[in-house]
Amino acid sequence: MRYEIKIPFIKNDLSLVLNSLRKIRGLSEQYKERYIHSIYFDTKDLQLARHNIEGLSKRYKFRIRWYDHQFKKYNYEIKKKDNKLGEKSVYENNGTDFNDVENFYNKKNKYLLANTSKEESFLIKILNLKPIVKVSYLRKYFLHNSGVRLTIDKSIKYEEIGKSLKHFDNYYVLEYKFEKDNYLSAQDLIKNSIFNPRRYSKYIKALSCVNKLVYY
């Protein structure tokens, strides 16, 4: 399991953030930046979103994700948060018709039920999840020689499933991802950041933007 520490900042401050990162010894760009698209699933009454807002010690996110414009290569992703530590299960799609997105995370998806853990498959069966919002953004990747990963998500866009209206976030997000063994190295990096960490969920922000849940 790993830590994920987020630092949202106004998009006009991107040059300040990039300049501060360039001064960090041992930090280099890891990959070419790419677009990330995710569709988040939840119950009819947004139970999973409310668990996030309430800060439940153990909570989940269910989504599908693909990169750039290759939506036929989406993966299923189930994120579990246990207090401050999180982990992610990733399952490659099996050619399920993308137009059948309504049934990706319910008992009709036999492929997923057969390949997920007992806990995950149990939740999929009982929650009857539906696609709620789509989140898209452009991500830059960095790697520190200590093993700490950094990403910057910019041009963040939110869409309600079934609606054509797009909402653009005024914030970008710098995120630190690291294992428990890299905790001290990560804390040194975060301590020297020009902005302070705080909770920030793109899924929750998306719900707020499409008027499904008032939070931000």
Side-chain angles (χ1 to χ4, degrees):
M1 301 184 81
R2 70 179 185 182
Y3 293 93
E4 295 180 347
I5 306 299
K6 297 177 182 178
I7 300 180
F9 59 93
I10 297 294
K11 60 184 181 181
N12 292 340
D13 289 331
L14 177 61
S15 59
L16 289 175
V17 172
L18 289 175
N19 286 336
S20 70
L21 294 183
R22 292 188 187 104
K23 296 176 183 178
I24 298 175
R25 291 185 178 181
L27 185 69
S28 59
E29 288 203 42
Q30 186 180 15
Y31 306 118
K32 180 181 178 181
E33 63 181 20
R34 58 182 176 176
Y35 282 97
I36 295 178
H37 308 275
S38 301
I39 293 178
Y40 287 83
F41 293 71
D42 208 329
T43 62
K44 186 177 180 180
D45 61 351
L46 304 178
Q47 178 181 336
L48 301 182
R50 297 181 191 282
H51 288 173
N52 184 302
I53 293 172
E54 293 165 5
L56 264 63
S57 59
K58 192 171 184 179
R59 54 191 188 270
Y60 295 84
K61 284 181 182 175
F62 293 80
R63 68 191 181 200
I64 59 169
R65 170 167 288 187
W66 66 98
Y67 298 94
D68 293 326
H69 303 294
Q70 299 177 321
F71 62 82
K72 290 185 177 180
K73 295 183 179 181
Y74 68 86
N75 288 325
Y76 299 95
E77 295 190 352
I78 302 173
K79 294 191 72 175
K80 181 173 73 173
K81 195 75 175 288
D82 195 346
N83 291 313
K84 294 184 178 181
L85 287 168
E87 62 182 347
K88 179 171 67 175
S89 300
V90 179
Y91 303 97
E92 293 184 1
N93 79 75
N94 65 329
T96 304
D97 186 354
F98 192 79
N99 293 322
D100 196 29
V101 66
E102 287 283 329
N103 294 316
F104 273 16
Y105 277 109
N106 63 35
K107 59 186 178 183
K108 292 183 180 180
N109 193 331
K110 304 301 182 184
Y111 161 77
L112 200 58
L113 293 178
N115 286 278
T116 50
S117 69
K118 288 184 178 180
E119 183 179 39
E120 292 167 345
S121 61
F122 173 75
L123 290 171
I124 292 169
K125 288 177 183 177
I126 66 169
L127 291 176
N128 192 33
L129 303 172
K130 296 296 181 183
I132 307 296
V133 290
K134 178 184 175 185
V135 178
S136 303
Y137 48 88
L138 185 62
R139 171 168 284 181
K140 293 180 69 69
Y141 298 83
F142 301 88
L143 180 65
H144 190 257
N145 57 17
S146 65
V148 178
R149 292 176 52 219
L150 288 76
T151 58
I152 293 179
D153 296 338
K154 54 186 183 177
S155 303
I156 306 171
K157 179 176 64 179
Y158 307 119
E159 303 172 61
E160 185 177 0
I161 299 301
K163 304 289 181 66
S164 58
L165 185 63
K166 298 176 176 61
H167 306 264
F168 294 89
D169 203 328
N170 290 323
Y171 282 84
Y172 290 170
V173 181
L174 170 64
E175 186 169 0
Y176 295 78
K177 310 171 199 288
F178 53 96
E179 307 295 328
K180 286 188 284 187
D181 291 345
N182 290 328
Y183 184 85
L184 293 179
S185 297
Q187 288 302 306
D188 286 339
L189 291 171
I190 295 169
K191 181 176 61 178
N192 293 318
S193 172
I194 59 176
F195 297 111
N196 295 321
R198 65 181 176 90
R199 288 187 65 188
Y200 199 87
S201 166
K202 297 186 192 72
Y203 173 48
I204 303 301
K205 184 65 177 288
L207 293 175
S208 179
C209 285
V210 302
N211 297 317
K212 280 190 169 291
L213 195 66
V214 177
Y215 181 64
Y216 283 96

